[in-house]
Amino acid sequence: MTQSVLDIHEVTPEIVQVTMQDRAHKNTFSRQLVDGLLQAFAAISTNQRYKCVVLTGYDGYFASGGTQESLLAIYEGREKFTDTSLYSLALDCQIPVIAAMQGHAIGGGFVMGLFADFVILGRECVYTTNFMKYGFTPGMGATFIVPQKLGLSLAEELLLNAGNYRGAELEKRGIPFTVLPKAEVLNHALDLAQQLAEKPRHSLCILKDHLVAPLRDQLARVIEQEVAMHEKTFHHQEVKQRISTLFGK
């Protein structure tokens, strides 16, 4: 486990908090952070005491999506976002996952959080599916989970326009998530986790499996479609230029 970029903390014997804290990369999906998340959720899956995962970030960042280097690697054909199962960690997890998005969530970082069973946003924080800003179509399951969680009309706006939205604005647009001042997001998530922890673990697992089964069944097909769209949209010189000049702005 790469402790420097990821903190695993047992809040109680039944609740585990996973904190992404790659400060050097502002919680973009660096190799260290990706490996840490994969290892953390693998370990969580073997612990029969856990009933809930709280996934959160540090300070003003929840998760910031792909690194500039990884995006350029996809452009060059050396990588695909499907090289790891990062995008579906929360969906695949047996127990409920709460995404406490106390900071900005950008691109694949926002999408990863939307795969959680519970989503809590910060009013002051920026949320964006900014794939098209760089000229390539969305990946990470975004074309599937964003409409599922936010509704088709708002999802089309977020995905096609690739704009930045504060949590307060999304709250006004009627998103079905709790939106709080960012300083209150994690505590609310922990309160919710405690409520979940009062339930029997086997019942939580069985009910989650039932509720998310349609999502799991459809996701693989959508991922294939997103990869096919990447083959058509990612390998253009304009995309390379946009990644090189616009990344982080």
Side-chain angles (χ1 to χ4, degrees):
M1 185 66 62
T2 309
Q3 294 289 352
S4 61
V5 300
L6 201 73
D7 180 69
I8 313 300
H9 170 60
E10 283 194 5
V11 180
T12 72
E14 297 169 325
I15 300 169
V16 58
Q17 179 178 322
V18 178
T19 303
M20 298 175 284
Q21 53 185 27
D22 190 345
R23 296 173 184 271
H25 299 97
K26 296 181 179 179
N27 274 359
T28 54
F29 292 143
S30 64
R31 175 48 54 191
Q32 294 88 347
L33 183 57
V34 170
D35 288 347
L37 285 167
L38 293 172
Q39 293 172 35
F41 275 86
I44 288 167
S45 71
T46 66
N47 190 311
Q48 297 301 304
R49 292 182 295 120
Y50 292 155
K51 296 182 179 180
C52 180
V53 181
V54 176
L55 178 64
T56 193
Y58 77 92
D59 297 346
Y61 292 95
F62 174 72
S64 302
T67 65
Q68 188 177 48
E69 292 75 16
S70 66
L71 296 181
L72 289 172
I74 296 175
Y75 162 78
E76 294 168 0
R78 294 185 286 110
E79 294 182 7
K80 294 180 179 179
F81 74 85
T82 52
D83 289 345
T84 73
S85 58
L86 179 68
Y87 56 90
S88 62
L89 284 177
L91 182 66
D92 294 336
C93 188
Q94 284 184 306
I95 57 177
V97 177
I98 302 170
M101 295 197 219
Q102 85 316 321
H104 305 319
I106 300 166
F110 186 36
V111 174
M112 181 180 69
L114 291 180
F115 275 103
D117 303 287
F118 300 88
V119 176
I120 307 166
L121 304 184
R123 288 202 179 103
E124 310 96 313
C125 305
V126 170
Y127 303 99
T128 178
T129 52
N130 64 343
F131 305 89
M132 289 286 282
K133 170 184 175 181
Y134 301 108
F136 59 84
T137 48
M140 296 282 291
T143 62
F144 173 66
I145 201 63
V146 179
Q148 286 283 336
K149 292 296 181 79
L150 300 182
L152 180 59
S153 295
L154 183 56
E156 284 189 318
E157 181 178 328
L158 266 69
L159 292 169
L160 287 167
N161 193 41
N164 295 335
Y165 296 77
R166 297 282 177 180
E169 182 178 356
L170 293 175
E171 184 179 28
K172 290 179 181 178
R173 299 288 295 272
I175 62 167
F177 305 137
T178 299
V179 183
L180 298 169
K182 66 179 183 179
E184 299 177 16
V185 168
L186 181 57
N187 284 339
H188 182 80
L190 292 172
D191 287 344
L192 176 58
Q194 187 58 55
Q195 295 172 34
L196 290 169
E198 295 170 359
K199 281 71 175 178
R201 184 182 190 278
H202 68 277
S203 295
L204 287 170
C205 292
I206 289 171
L207 182 55
K208 172 173 177 173
D209 186 61
H210 171 75
L211 291 172
V212 303
L215 304 183
R216 290 172 175 166
D217 289 345
Q218 296 177 64
L219 182 58
R221 177 178 55 83
V222 174
I223 294 298
E224 289 181 2
Q225 294 171 341
E226 289 186 348
V227 170
M229 287 192 291
H230 273 190
E231 288 301 313
K232 297 176 181 178
T233 65
F234 224 114
H235 310 298
H236 293 269
Q237 184 65 26
E238 181 184 359
V239 170
K240 181 180 181 181
Q241 292 172 346
R242 285 172 176 257
I243 294 171
S244 299
T245 60
L246 299 178
F247 190 87
K249 296 180 180 179

